[in-house]
Structure formats: C-alpha cells, structure tokens
C-alpha cells in the first residue's frame, strides 16, 4: 500500500488501533507507564531500564548483552541525563544517547521515546523502509546522516500531528509524537509505503 503524507494523517487513528492489537502493545504500555515518570523524577534512566527497552524491542542480535558489555550503569545515567537536559534541542538529545556503545539509532531513539513520548519518537528499520521516499539517506556508520535522518522523521511526525482531526490517546485527548510514531510503525511493518507529500496542481 502506498499513500502520501497528507492521506496518511487521516489514517493514523486506524493504524494506531491496529498497533494496539500487536504483540508489542502491552510491553509498550508498561514502559510508557514507568520510564517517562522515572526520567522526570530522577533526571536519568539506568542500565536496567535500557535492558527493558531492548527486551521489548526483541533484543535483536544480542543488543542487550552488547550494551551491558560495553557500558557501565554510570555511563547510561550520564548520557540519559545529558539527553534530558537537551530535550529542547533534539540534535543534541539524540547525539547524547548515540554516544552509548552498541546502542545505535533504533535503540537510542527508543530511549528518547520512553523518556519523553510527547516530543520524541523511535526510528527503526521498518519505518526507515516505509519512509525511504521521504527520509534522507541514513548510513548507520555515519553519525551525521543518522542524526539528520532522525531529525527529519521528527519533523514528519510533527507535520502529521498538525493534520490529525480526531481525538488522540494521550492525556487530554492529545496525539503525542510517540503515538503517531507507533501508527507509522504499524503501517510500515504491514508493508505500507509513504510516498511523499501531495503534489500541488
């Protein structure tokens, strides 16, 4: 299925409902109930919190084990605290979490999502594939392209947020960026492709 950004904005509520039927939903809700509040209260996350994110994400290719082998709890606390301090500057927030060893774009962005779902999103390979027509090229070994691609996806989610008409699942009926991203994920994982913006005649 191919769709432009404007049309996908109308379809977001339906895709979000589909996401609620997925195997990821309950774990997502559990992390969302715990981690944003912890980040706000203590000003950081711990290594065990990142373990929980890795397990929820499937811990592909032993990411949980590599995280533990290459990062201390102090380093995780320091880098997540740095990201929180930079919440108003997404370029620096994602850069701080990317500084953790063996914690690439997918999991670094998931970390930001679970610290601040109102303003941040996760960008994984499903979404990168589904949005390849609207995202700049992301090369995992190239930090600059990784950050540039993440910031572009944040902009896309903000654009979608501005065009949703229905009441959202967040507090006071809002659509948090994290909610929008989960709808995008569900669409992309189902084979959907977002082709770009509608052309103006």
């Amino acid at each position: 299925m191919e769709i432009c950004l404007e049309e996908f904005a109308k379809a977001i509520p339906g895709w979000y409902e589909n996401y609620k039927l997925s195997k990821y939903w309950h774990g997502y809700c559990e992390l969302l109930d715990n981690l944003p509040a912890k980040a706000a209260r203590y000003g950081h996350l711990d290594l065990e919190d990142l373990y929980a994110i890795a397990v929820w994400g499937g811990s592909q290719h032993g990411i949980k084990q590599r995280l533990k082998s290459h990062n201390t709890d102090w380093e995780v606390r320091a880098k997540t605290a740095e990201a929180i301090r930079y919440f108003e500057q997404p370029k620096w927030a994602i850069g701080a979490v990317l500084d953790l060893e063996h914690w690439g774009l997918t999991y670094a962005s998931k970390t930001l999502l679970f610290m601040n779902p109102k303003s941040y999103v996760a960008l994984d390979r499903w979404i990168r594939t589904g949005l390849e027509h609207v995202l700049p090229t992301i090369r995992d070994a190239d930090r600059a392209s990784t950050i540039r691609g993440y910031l572009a996806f944040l902009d896309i989610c903000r654009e979608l947020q501005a065009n949703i008409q229905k009441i959202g699942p967040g507090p006071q009926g809002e659509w948090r960026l994290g909610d929008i991203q989960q709808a995008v994920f569900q669409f992309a994982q189902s084979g959907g492709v977002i082709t770009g913006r509608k052309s103006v005649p």
Side-chain angles (χ1 to χ4, degrees):
M1 176 192 301
E2 294 188 357
I3 191 170
C4 68
L5 276 170
E6 292 86 348
E7 290 300 320
F8 184 71
K10 300 175 185 177
I12 283 175
W15 284 105
Y16 184 81
E17 289 300 313
N18 287 346
Y19 178 71
K20 289 165 67 174
L21 302 175
S22 77
K23 65 180 181 179
Y24 301 105
W25 172 249
H26 292 295
Y28 171 71
C29 290
E30 185 175 340
L31 291 173
L32 211 58
D33 284 343
N34 296 319
L35 296 190
K38 179 174 180 177
R41 181 176 181 183
Y42 295 105
H44 63 77
L45 294 184
D46 296 304
L47 193 56
E48 65 183 28
D49 301 316
L50 270 59
Y51 286 172
I53 293 171
V55 170
W56 170 73
S59 192
Q60 295 97 331
H61 313 298
I63 187 72
K64 175 181 173 181
Q65 289 72 26
R66 293 205 306 276
L67 175 73
K68 181 179 179 181
S69 299
H70 294 86
N71 301 277
T72 66
D73 197 40
W74 182 88
E75 288 168 330
V76 169
R77 290 182 179 187
K79 286 301 173 181
T80 54
E82 182 180 345
I84 290 170
R85 290 196 300 274
Y86 284 127
F87 271 168
E88 299 302 316
Q89 298 172 281
K91 176 179 179 180
W92 301 109
I94 187 64
V97 191
L98 283 169
D99 284 342
L100 293 170
E101 296 290 333
H102 293 273
W103 199 244
L105 176 59
T106 294
Y107 284 97
S109 61
K110 286 177 180 178
T111 303
L112 289 180
L113 164 68
F114 286 117
M115 290 196 295
N116 186 356
K118 183 174 181 177
S119 302
Y120 283 94
V121 296
L123 177 54
D124 67 2
R125 291 193 177 277
W126 287 107
I127 295 174
R128 285 165 60 175
T129 299
L131 274 69
E132 64 181 349
H133 297 293
V134 292
L135 289 176
T137 300
I138 298 173
R139 296 177 297 276
D140 290 312
D142 180 348
R143 182 183 176 92
S145 77
T146 296
I147 293 175
R148 184 167 55 248
Y150 182 70
L151 297 179
F153 183 48
L154 271 179
D155 285 341
I156 287 169
C157 288
R158 292 189 192 107
E159 182 178 338
L160 291 169
Q161 183 185 49
N163 287 287
I164 302 175
Q165 302 298 319
K166 294 188 177 181
I167 298 297
Q172 288 78 53
E174 71 175 321
W175 281 97
R176 297 164 294 192
L177 290 188
D179 301 323
I180 293 165
Q181 176 256 304
Q182 298 301 359
V184 176
F185 166 81
Q186 188 66 26
F187 176 72
Q189 196 191 40
S190 301
V193 173
I194 294 178
T195 56
R197 293 165 180 80
K198 189 183 296 182
S199 58
V200 178

